Amino acid sequence: MSGVQFGELPFLSHKSEVRSSLFSPVGDTFAVGLKNGQIAMYSTLNWELLWTSSGDSLDICCISYSVKGDLLASGGKEGEVRMWDVRTGECRFTLTDHDRTINHIAFSPQGDQFASASSDKTLRLWSVLAGERRRVLKKHTWAILHVAYSPDGTQIATCSVDKTVRLWNNDSGVCNHTLHGHRNFVRTVVYSPRGDQVASASLDKTVRLWDTTTGACLHILTGHTDHVFFAVYSPHGDQAASVSKDKTVRLWDVESGTCRRTLTGHADQVNSAMYSPRGDLVASASNDGTVQLWDVEAGSCRQTFSGHKMAKGVIFSPEGDQVATRGDDTIVRLWDVEVGTARHLSSGHGDRVNCVEYSPTGNQVASCSKDGTIRLWDVETGICRSTLTGHNGEINHIAYSPQGDLMASASNDNTVRVWDAQTGECRHTLTGHIRFVLYVAYSPSGNQIASCSTDKTARLWNTFTGICSHALDGHGDFVRSIVYSPRGDQVASASDDKTVRLWDTATGACLHIFIGPREGITSVAYSLQGDQIAITNKDLTIRLKDVKTGECRCTLSKIDKAVYSPRGTLSKIDKAVYSPRGGIVASGNRNGTVRLWNIESGECLHSLTGHTDSRVLLIKLSPQGDRVASASMDNTIRLWHVASGQCQAVIRGSRGIRSIVWSTNSDPNYVVVGFVDGSVAMWQVMDDGDPYHARMRWRTTKGGLTVKEASIQDVRGLSQLTKKLLEQRGAVGRPIEDIRESSRKVATMTSVVSKFKAPSIRMAEGSSVAKSFEGHVEQVKDAQPLRARRYTM
């Protein structure tokens, strides 16, 4: 088996040479344009092929996504422009006005127009919806090589073989400025993030910076000793990167025009470069067959990716966690940036993460999974401190005790287990439920545990003895959630029988029954003072009930799902939370909107828009109540400021989110996320200016495995991507479903397989390599009730 590199993902193989490749704006799809005229569309969730076009045209030269990512435009060698439906692969229309090669296509920021630049010396502007020609711009005297829209969409820049750059008024089509000065072909032109400048890269060995208002040349960036092929601004606009045939990448100060750093290391010409979305990394692709990942601040090479004979293009995913590279071959190679640059990595869960919780002590994060394990992660390093095994089924929920010394887990093996949060020792196994246990909660004092189950009951347990003090019978269907009142004298349980019941924790007596709407109930939570409960209903309302009288104090309508809690905790099935500061409920809707409500008046304080018309999956308020995190089906997490309603940061590419939790202390401010692929990641919210940004601190890898003589052997939690990569590299064998031996030594896929250069190489147990990467995958082991009052909602 050939060597698998650190951070490598399965490659995308095609029957024809790859001419262009691109991530969608939200990162959910990936498009590839081929020399045979085909378009190949992939889902980035699992990198499965969604569709391939018929390929009845010759040579796809360029592709471009629409602003929303629902359309893809392609340009061909024969001058055809086609518009594709990303979801279905249907060709919406074909435009044949150009009579020579389409060199570049760009969409306007508003998304209603796109431009095509051609070797026929014209730039044509088109309507996105109908494909109608809006305008033909004719001024260049040779082929137009590149086109770009200004950030506000009012201006268009083009560059040409005629050695000029032109700035056009988008509304009138008038050429406002012709920028002379370059002495050779101008290959690319790009706007600064603010739109006040354009940078042009030329074969005359220079990059020029131009004022977009006056057309004046601000700086001539000299230093390269051969053709400059490409230039790009950093996301913040304070610097620019350029690549050259002289084998270097140069980083320039935009304000002064001076060269900050010259990045050397490539052995042949550098063809393209791109900044990461955060601007801390630059990736460069070279004819030496490598892609190098550079630290912008230090100027050092963090990682080198190889595999192409000549690397022609490189692009970051919108979230910055992956890089895609193309060469002069039929393959697109994919790389995990975080794995390739992280200092500490631990093997993640072998299946989806159901819940993540932050320890009250602030030094530990816990996660539970469908794989039947709980993992305790070090907050600073992301290293797995302990793997807790003992449950014989999926673990649905975990909760720390208020003191942080204990943890309770609810499992499909019908048990609740109590663990020592420091040593990982199982203190008690709580038996009594006869079906799956769905949820678990500690009382505010920590001396009692409540659990609920699909056996239609809830149970109260003594934390220290493990004895069941009360079995709470009465519900007629699954009990989905249970929560303590702030004083701990009551618990409220929500059931699929469309009722919420309040129970006395001392006697086990049912105090009240609240009957929900016919659509059903999703969750329940107590207010900060404990005088009311919030009941989330499937009829898209939240009803706030007085605990003593049962009267409805307030109804919030047009809500997807909601819950409020004094600690900001959130069940994985809910989509709204009550502020720990009191008075505010945050809700998420199916159209991607997050709303903040005043619970006394029912008034909507803020409508938070930014998610791209995708259902809000989860909402989590910080323990201080000043921020709210929302996760959407658009694969982003947005962090909002509660007081102002402003979006402070966006975490992109968060595919398959299962659970979110904020750090228990506000400094530093962390967000921890559990994913469906079994990984756990932590971001730090950085307050270093406007806007804020979230920087990933660590992310676990996706499962672990033992590799022996380049064969797949003794694998638990092997993802489809990992399996596919091993098979592409020539590994043989099949992963097994379960491991019956405990404490089997393994190493993570990304760190160990790279050590194998041939099937004859064997990693001996106890070798220095094995010791340096060893990990563990462990076997999953096997009173008289009061008369209740009824209330109708």
Side-chain angles (χ1 to χ4, degrees), residues 472-493:
L472 312 181
D473 296 302
H475 283 297
D477 208 332
F478 298 173
V479 185
R480 295 285 181 181
S481 63
I482 191 165
V483 63
Y484 278 90
S485 64
R487 292 186 301 175
D489 58 333
Q490 293 181 7
V491 289
S493 57

Side-chain angles (χ1 to χ4, degrees), residues 178-398:
T178 302
L179 312 181
H180 297 280
H182 284 297
R183 298 188 301 274
N184 207 332
F185 300 173
V186 185
R187 290 286 298 271
T188 57
V189 63
V190 61
Y191 278 91
S192 64
R194 292 187 303 176
D196 58 334
Q197 291 182 11
V198 290
S200 56
S202 170
L203 299 189
D204 67 3
K205 309 177 187 179
T206 70
V207 175
R208 289 179 178 247
L209 306 184
W210 311 84
D211 186 292
T212 56
T213 302
T214 66
C217 182
L218 303 174
H219 298 291
I220 303 174
L221 311 183
T222 59
H224 284 296
T225 59
D226 212 325
H227 299 338
V228 180
F229 298 123
F230 191 81
V232 62
Y233 281 93
S234 67
H236 304 298
D238 59 331
Q239 70 174 229
S242 60
V243 302
S244 169
K245 192 177 180 180
D246 66 8
K247 310 176 188 178
T248 68
V249 179
R250 286 180 176 258
L251 305 182
W252 307 89
D253 184 280
V254 169
E255 185 67 27
S256 65
T258 58
C259 181
R260 289 183 176 181
R261 294 189 183 279
T262 301
L263 310 180
T264 59
H266 283 298
D268 206 334
Q269 75 177 40
V270 187
N271 296 307
S272 67
M274 185 179 184
Y275 280 92
S276 65
R278 293 196 302 265
D280 58 334
L281 299 174
V282 167
S284 58
S286 168
N287 272 4
D288 64 9
T290 69
V291 171
Q292 297 201 7
L293 208 59
W294 306 89
D295 186 301
V296 169
E297 188 65 29
S300 58
C301 180
R302 287 193 181 183
Q303 186 74 10
T304 299
F305 303 133
S306 60
H308 298 290
K309 185 178 179 180
M310 290 190 290
K312 295 296 187 181
V314 59
I315 186 169
F316 278 93
S317 62
E319 63 276 9
D321 63 337
Q322 293 179 351
V323 163
T325 64
R326 64 178 179 86
D328 59 344
D329 50 31
T330 62
I331 290 174
V332 173
R333 296 188 180 275
L334 306 168
W335 313 91
D336 190 315
V337 173
E338 298 295 343
V339 170
T341 60
R343 293 182 180 179
H344 302 289
L345 292 171
S346 294
S347 175
H349 289 286
D351 212 321
R352 70 176 182 232
V353 174
N354 287 329
C355 181
V356 290
E357 290 293 339
Y358 213 102
S359 166
T361 61
N363 64 349
Q364 184 176 268
V365 170
S367 59
C368 69
S369 169
K370 187 180 178 181
D371 68 6
T373 68
I374 300 167
R375 292 178 184 254
L376 307 181
W377 310 95
D378 183 274
V379 166
E380 289 299 319
T381 66
I383 291 175
C384 182
R385 291 178 172 179
S386 301
T387 300
L388 313 185
T389 61
H391 281 297
N392 291 318
E394 179 173 356
I395 303 175
N396 297 306
H397 193 248
I398 51 176

Side-chain angles (χ1 to χ4, degrees), residues 32 156 161 178 236 259 315 409 465 480 543 599 711 724:
V32 179
I156 301 172
V161 175
T178 302
H236 304 298
C259 181
I315 186 169
S409 57
T465 66
R480 295 285 181 181
R543 289 183 170 89
I599 65 166
S711 65
K724 183 176 180 180

